[in-house]
Amino acid sequence: MGDILELAEHYSRSGADELVFYDITASPDGRTVDRSWVSRVAKLINIPFCVAGGIRSVADAEEILCKGADKISVNSPALERPELISALAKRFGSQCVVLGVDSLRVDSTWQVYQYTGDASRSTRSSYTTADWITRAQDLGAGEVVLNCMNQDGVRKGYDIEQLSVIQDVCHVPLVASGGAGSIEDFAEVFEKTRVSAALAASVFHDDDIRIPDLKARLGNAGIEVRL
């Protein structure tokens, strides 16, 4: 979609509140996100940013945070070894530790999936989404990004039903991810759920939604935004 530095600067200037950089194939490939660009991003922008991708140890996280990231996000490695969450929270504080959750509806419940960056390796974990988020909070996760896989990429709106259920077990900031296709989708998720933030990628990368226009619409609807 473009150069990391150019996009980071563009979104920072456009009014994004925070950026999240996902190396989605790092965990399936058995590697950790490349750190070489992290310090360059940190020097270029003045908003918080989070880095994710195959972070498997305190040492991995420390290197990324020391290069200027504000948060690190763990997903599949935490499912492999849940005690990673508590180790990270103890070392850096829960405010730095974001739990990424890839959730897919299976029959009547939502299930957590791992290694979703590689379709050939994506597998269903042993956790329901609600149970995993509850456990991760107890271990010290300070924020949850819930990627609703049923909606991801279809641009038909956020998964209001799932978010409404999960918000009742999530007692840390909850970020909605997956499904944004229009400015009205953002307005709906804030009006119908108690999420703290809404994440999107392709609608911004494709310039279908401009962040200043989005924030103006949300502000006019009485939704608190940083203008």
Side-chain angles (χ1 to χ4, degrees), residues 46-85:
N46 60 357
I47 59 173
F49 71 99
C50 178
V51 175
I55 297 170
R56 290 182 168 82
S57 68
V58 169
D60 288 341
E62 185 159 24
E63 186 175 356
I64 292 166
L65 292 169
C66 285
K67 286 182 177 294
D70 298 276
K71 305 176 186 177
I72 51 90
S73 178
V74 290
N75 188 324
S76 294
L79 287 162
E80 296 167 6
R81 192 167 61 89
E83 61 268 25
L84 173 63
I85 298 171

Coordinates of all heavy atoms in Angstrom, one line a residue, residues 46-85:
N46 N 4.3 12.4 15.8 CA 4.1 12.9 17.2 C 2.9 12.3 17.8 O 2.3 12.9 18.7 CB 4.1 14.4 17.2 CG 3.0 15.0 16.4 OD1 2.3 14.3 15.8 ND2 2.9 16.3 16.5
I47 N 2.4 11.1 17.3 CA 1.3 10.5 17.9 C 1.7 9.1 18.3 O 2.7 8.6 17.9 CB 0.1 10.4 16.9 CG1 0.5 9.6 15.6 CG2 -0.4 11.7 16.6 CD1 -0.6 9.3 14.7
P48 N 1.0 8.5 19.3 CA 1.4 7.1 19.7 C 1.3 6.1 18.6 O 0.5 6.2 17.7 CB 0.4 6.8 20.8 CG -0.2 8.1 21.2 CD -0.2 9.0 20.0
F49 N 2.2 5.1 18.7 CA 2.1 4.0 17.7 C 2.4 2.7 18.4 O 3.2 2.6 19.4 CB 2.9 4.2 16.5 CG 4.4 4.1 16.6 CD1 5.1 3.0 16.2 CD2 5.1 5.2 17.0 CE1 6.5 2.9 16.3 CE2 6.5 5.2 17.1 CZ 7.2 4.0 16.8
C50 N 1.8 1.6 17.9 CA 1.9 0.3 18.4 C 2.5 -0.6 17.4 O 2.2 -0.4 16.2 CB 0.5 -0.2 18.8 SG 0.4 -1.9 19.5
V51 N 3.3 -1.6 17.8 CA 3.9 -2.5 16.8 C 3.6 -3.9 17.2 O 3.6 -4.3 18.4 CB 5.5 -2.3 16.9 CG1 6.2 -3.4 16.0 CG2 5.9 -0.9 16.4
A52 N 3.3 -4.7 16.2 CA 2.8 -6.1 16.4 C 3.5 -7.0 15.4 O 3.7 -6.6 14.2 CB 1.3 -6.2 16.4
G53 N 3.7 -8.2 15.8 CA 4.2 -9.2 14.8 C 5.3 -10.2 15.4 O 6.4 -9.8 15.5
G54 N 4.9 -11.3 15.9 CA 5.8 -12.3 16.4 C 6.6 -11.9 17.6 O 7.7 -12.4 17.8
I55 N 6.1 -11.0 18.4 CA 6.8 -10.6 19.7 C 6.6 -11.8 20.7 O 5.5 -12.0 21.2 CB 6.2 -9.3 20.2 CG1 6.5 -8.2 19.2 CG2 6.9 -8.9 21.5 CD1 5.8 -6.9 19.5
R56 N 7.7 -12.5 21.0 CA 7.6 -13.7 21.8 C 8.3 -13.6 23.1 O 8.3 -14.6 23.9 CB 8.2 -14.9 21.0 CG 7.4 -15.3 19.8 CD 8.0 -16.5 19.1 NE 7.1 -17.1 18.2 CZ 6.9 -16.6 16.9 NH1 7.6 -15.6 16.5 NH2 6.0 -17.2 16.1
S57 N 8.9 -12.5 23.4 CA 9.7 -12.4 24.7 C 9.7 -10.9 25.2 O 9.5 -10.0 24.4 CB 11.1 -12.9 24.5 OG 11.8 -12.0 23.6
V58 N 10.1 -10.8 26.4 CA 10.4 -9.5 27.0 C 11.4 -8.8 26.2 O 11.4 -7.6 26.0 CB 10.7 -9.6 28.5 CG1 11.2 -8.3 29.1 CG2 9.5 -10.1 29.3
A59 N 12.5 -9.5 25.8 CA 13.6 -8.9 25.1 C 13.1 -8.3 23.8 O 13.5 -7.2 23.3 CB 14.7 -9.9 24.9
D60 N 12.3 -9.1 23.1 CA 11.7 -8.6 21.8 C 11.0 -7.3 22.0 O 11.2 -6.3 21.3 CB 10.7 -9.6 21.2 CG 11.4 -10.9 20.6 OD1 12.6 -10.8 20.3 OD2 10.7 -11.9 20.5
A61 N 10.1 -7.3 23.0 CA 9.3 -6.1 23.3 C 10.2 -4.9 23.7 O 10.0 -3.8 23.3 CB 8.3 -6.4 24.4
E62 N 11.2 -5.2 24.5 CA 12.0 -4.1 25.0 C 12.8 -3.4 23.9 O 12.9 -2.2 23.9 CB 13.0 -4.7 26.0 CG 13.9 -3.6 26.7 CD 14.5 -4.0 28.0 OE1 14.7 -5.3 28.2 OE2 14.8 -3.2 28.8
E63 N 13.3 -4.2 23.0 CA 14.0 -3.6 21.8 C 13.1 -2.7 21.0 O 13.5 -1.6 20.6 CB 14.5 -4.7 20.9 CG 15.4 -4.1 19.8 CD 16.1 -5.2 19.0 OE1 15.9 -6.4 19.3 OE2 16.8 -4.9 18.0
I64 N 11.8 -3.1 20.8 CA 10.9 -2.3 20.0 C 10.5 -1.0 20.8 O 10.4 0.1 20.2 CB 9.6 -3.2 19.7 CG1 10.0 -4.3 18.7 CG2 8.5 -2.3 19.1 CD1 9.0 -5.3 18.5
L65 N 10.2 -1.2 22.1 CA 9.9 0.0 22.9 C 11.0 1.0 23.0 O 10.8 2.2 23.0 CB 9.4 -0.5 24.3 CG 8.0 -1.2 24.3 CD1 7.8 -1.8 25.6 CD2 6.9 -0.3 23.9
C66 N 12.2 0.5 23.1 CA 13.4 1.3 23.3 C 13.7 2.1 22.0 O 14.3 3.1 22.0 CB 14.6 0.5 23.7 SG 14.6 0.0 25.4
K67 N 13.2 1.6 20.9 CA 13.4 2.3 19.6 C 12.3 3.3 19.4 O 12.3 4.0 18.4 CB 13.4 1.3 18.4 CG 14.7 0.4 18.3 CD 14.7 -0.5 17.2 CE 16.0 -1.2 17.0 NZ 17.1 -0.3 16.7
G68 N 11.3 3.4 20.3 CA 10.4 4.5 20.2 C 8.9 4.2 20.1 O 8.1 5.1 20.2
A69 N 8.6 2.9 20.0 CA 7.2 2.5 20.0 C 6.6 2.8 21.4 O 7.2 2.7 22.4 CB 7.0 1.1 19.6
D70 N 5.3 3.1 21.4 CA 4.6 3.4 22.7 C 4.0 2.1 23.2 O 3.8 2.0 24.5 CB 3.5 4.4 22.4 CG 4.1 5.8 22.0 OD1 4.5 6.5 22.8 OD2 4.1 6.0 20.7
K71 N 3.6 1.2 22.4 CA 3.0 -0.1 22.8 C 3.4 -1.2 21.9 O 3.9 -1.0 20.8 CB 1.4 0.0 22.7 CG 0.8 1.2 23.4 CD -0.7 1.2 23.0 CE -1.4 2.4 23.6 NZ -2.9 2.5 23.2
I72 N 3.3 -2.4 22.5 CA 3.5 -3.6 21.6 C 2.2 -4.4 21.7 O 1.5 -4.4 22.7 CB 4.7 -4.4 22.1 CG1 4.7 -4.7 23.6 CG2 6.0 -3.7 21.7 CD1 4.0 -6.0 24.0
S73 N 1.9 -5.1 20.7 CA 0.7 -6.0 20.7 C 1.1 -7.4 20.4 O 2.0 -7.7 19.6 CB -0.2 -5.5 19.5 OG -1.4 -6.3 19.4
V74 N 0.5 -8.3 21.2 CA 0.7 -9.7 21.1 C -0.6 -10.5 20.8 O -1.7 -10.1 21.3 CB 1.3 -10.3 22.4 CG1 2.8 -9.8 22.5 CG2 0.5 -10.0 23.6
N75 N -0.5 -11.5 19.9 CA -1.6 -12.2 19.5 C -1.3 -13.7 19.6 O -1.4 -14.3 20.7 CB -2.1 -11.8 18.1 CG -3.4 -12.4 17.7 OD1 -3.7 -13.5 18.0 ND2 -4.1 -11.6 16.9
S76 N -0.9 -14.3 18.5 CA -0.6 -15.8 18.5 C 0.5 -16.2 19.5 O 0.3 -17.2 20.2 CB -0.2 -16.2 17.1 OG -1.2 -16.1 16.2
P77 N 1.6 -15.4 19.7 CA 2.5 -15.8 20.8 C 1.9 -15.9 22.2 O 2.4 -16.7 23.0 CB 3.6 -14.7 20.7 CG 3.6 -14.3 19.3 CD 2.1 -14.3 18.9
A78 N 1.0 -15.0 22.5 CA 0.3 -15.1 23.8 C -0.6 -16.3 23.9 O -0.7 -16.8 25.0 CB -0.5 -13.8 24.0
L79 N -1.2 -16.7 22.8 CA -2.0 -17.9 22.8 C -1.1 -19.2 23.0 O -1.5 -20.1 23.7 CB -2.8 -18.1 21.5 CG -4.0 -17.1 21.4 CD1 -4.4 -17.0 19.9 CD2 -5.1 -17.6 22.3
E80 N 0.1 -19.1 22.4 CA 1.1 -20.2 22.6 C 1.5 -20.3 24.1 O 1.7 -21.3 24.6 CB 2.3 -19.9 21.7 CG 2.1 -20.0 20.2 CD 3.3 -19.4 19.5 OE1 4.3 -19.1 20.1 OE2 3.2 -19.3 18.2
R81 N 1.7 -19.1 24.7 CA 2.3 -19.0 26.0 C 1.6 -17.8 26.8 O 2.2 -16.7 26.8 CB 3.8 -18.8 25.9 CG 4.6 -19.0 27.2 CD 6.1 -19.2 26.9 NE 6.6 -18.0 26.3 CZ 7.1 -17.0 27.0 NH1 7.1 -16.9 28.3 NH2 7.6 -15.9 26.3
P82 N 0.5 -18.0 27.4 CA -0.2 -16.9 28.0 C 0.6 -16.2 29.1 O 0.4 -15.0 29.3 CB -1.4 -17.6 28.7 CG -1.7 -18.8 27.8 CD -0.3 -19.3 27.4
E83 N 1.5 -16.8 29.7 CA 2.3 -16.2 30.7 C 3.2 -15.0 30.1 O 3.7 -14.2 30.9 CB 3.2 -17.1 31.5 CG 4.2 -17.9 30.6 CD 3.7 -19.2 30.1 OE1 2.4 -19.4 30.0 OE2 4.5 -20.1 29.8
L84 N 3.3 -15.0 28.8 CA 4.0 -13.9 28.1 C 3.3 -12.6 28.5 O 4.0 -11.6 28.7 CB 4.0 -14.1 26.6 CG 4.6 -12.9 25.8 CD1 6.0 -12.7 26.1 CD2 4.3 -13.3 24.3
I85 N 2.0 -12.6 28.6 CA 1.3 -11.3 28.9 C 1.7 -10.8 30.2 O 2.0 -9.6 30.4 CB -0.2 -11.6 28.8 CG1 -0.7 -12.0 27.4 CG2 -1.0 -10.3 29.3 CD1 -2.1 -12.5 27.3

